[in-house]
Amino acid sequence: MLLCTVRDCRQELLRDGKRLVCAQGHSFDLSRHGYVNLLQPQDRRSRNPGDRVEAVAARRRLHDRGLSQPLLDGISSMMPLAKGSALLDVGCGEGFYTANLATRFETRAWGVDLSTSAIQAAAKRYPECEWLIANADRFLPYATGAFGAVLSITARLHPEEFRRVLRDDGRLLVAVPAPDDLIELRGAGKDRVGRVVEMLEPLFITEDRRCIRTTADLDAEAVRDVQISIYRPMQAEDPRPMRLTFSLDAVLLRPR
Ligand SMILES: [Zn+2]
């Protein structure tokens, strides 16, 4: 299932005790919590705000308050995922959507993210899924046609790789922040979904397109967690209780 990330190797990785090894002899240790780190020296970036431990913790507290439940329900209702069909979540963060969808659809799930702190948090909370630290911008270190569904929630897109790892009858679900996402905190945002469809259209056909939206009354502490968890942290004055909109534009696609 996993492929070697050393330069252009891309050979299958096989389990050997507590390591994964390819035919060329490149090896990767399995962590104590069961995830694998496939990052190469060229993948490490100095400043990735998504990496920060505080952002991961803040996002998890928001999930734990149940704020993401309506978004999860919306995404889940769009996914025609067959029972037992493997799911890949690219840019999975701390694994909330990955693990909850796996439970709902009674399927095996794999999550990949560039952030070590996010994958550590995911592996500790959801040991039933398979977690990987890798740079998905370069290539997805999974076998061709390995997945029945690929998910990308507010993550970077890699259309060719999404298509390669997806089965011919698989489905791709992409969600991006809608223009009114957190509008109370940061004003109206860009309409990104048109660009997403344009990027994916050479390889995929759009089957469904929805806006998944919820509002919630948050106390000051939760507002602060939202500020910490978004990629461009607000240099706002002290957070105060407020009603916030959480909004995703989601598209379901199938391979051409
Ligand atoms: Zn190798």
Side-chain angles (χ1 to χ4, degrees), residues 4-6 9-11 13 22-26:
C4 179
T5 57
V6 174
C9 179
R10 301 197 184 187
Q11 299 212 34
L13 287 171
C22 82
Q24 302 247 51
H26 305 129

Side-chain angles (χ1 to χ4, degrees), residues 1 11 49 68 76 79 82 88 103 131-132 147 149 166 172 190 200 218 237 255:
M1 182 67 104
Q11 299 212 34
S68 319
S76 166
M79 283 287 263
L88 173 65
T103 304
W131 305 105
L132 196 63
F147 297 99
L166 202 57
L172 168 66
K190 273 189 294 191
L200 294 168
L218 278 76
E237 58 286 12

Side-chain angles (χ1 to χ4, degrees), residues 8-241:
D8 296 320
C9 179
R10 301 197 184 187
Q11 299 212 34
E12 202 178 330
L13 287 171
L14 296 172
R15 181 87 181 254
D16 172 24
K18 292 190 167 163
R19 301 183 314 158
L20 295 174
V21 187
C22 82
Q24 302 247 51
H26 305 129
S27 82
F28 302 88
D29 292 335
L30 279 170
S31 85
R32 191 160 49 91
H33 293 288
Y35 64 86
V36 190
N37 186 342
L38 294 185
L39 280 186
Q40 293 301 305
Q42 67 268 30
D43 295 328
R44 294 176 209 280
R45 295 176 190 170
S46 49
R47 302 291 300 168
N48 179 349
D51 255 339
R52 291 177 306 132
V53 179
E54 315 89 77
V56 171
R59 215 165 293 138
R60 173 157 284 174
R61 283 192 296 270
L62 294 168
H63 292 317
D64 287 345
R65 283 170 179 258
L67 291 171
S68 319
Q69 203 61 40
L71 303 179
L72 173 67
D73 292 342
I75 284 166
S76 166
S77 71
M78 280 179 84
M79 283 287 263
L81 190 59
K83 197 167 162 177
S85 175
L87 167 73
L88 173 65
D89 187 358
V90 181
C92 64
E94 52 71 60
F96 170 80
Y97 291 101
T98 331
N100 280 288
L101 289 169
T103 304
R104 240 174 237 210
F105 289 101
E106 296 179 52
T107 184
R108 290 193 71 194
W110 280 254
V112 56
D113 204 284
L114 182 62
S115 160
T116 303
S117 39
I119 290 298
Q120 282 173 343
K124 282 183 202 169
R125 171 78 66 96
Y126 310 111
E128 68 278 17
C129 301
E130 307 283 339
W131 305 105
L132 196 63
I133 304 169
N135 180 2
D137 289 348
R138 208 151 63 84
F139 85 107
L140 291 172
Y142 300 93
T144 298
F147 297 99
V150 172
L151 190 63
S152 163
I153 300 179
T154 67
R156 298 266 288 268
L157 300 183
H158 200 325
E160 293 78 15
E161 281 296 279
F162 288 176
R163 177 63 191 94
R164 184 184 62 79
V165 300
L166 202 57
R167 285 200 325 237
D168 290 344
D169 63 348
R171 292 294 184 276
L172 168 66
L173 195 150
V174 176
V176 291
D180 62 345
D181 184 51
L182 303 177
I183 193 166
E184 302 85 352
L185 274 183
R186 54 183 173 191
K190 273 189 294 191
D191 189 349
R192 297 173 173 87
V193 72
R195 171 83 186 115
V196 164
V197 170
E198 200 178 296
M199 268 180 85
L200 294 168
E201 241 171 11
L203 296 170
F204 295 92
I205 297 166
T206 303
E207 278 194 335
D208 191 5
R209 197 164 148 169
R210 297 185 207 171
C211 185
I212 302 168
R213 180 187 290 116
T214 181
T215 56
D217 291 304
L218 278 76
D219 59 22
E221 214 174 304
V223 171
R224 187 169 168 278
D225 278 342
V226 172
Q227 292 173 340
I228 295 170
S229 71
I230 56 185
Y231 282 89
R232 253 160 291 157
M234 312 272 116
Q235 313 299 186
E237 58 286 12
D238 282 343
R240 56 182 171 78

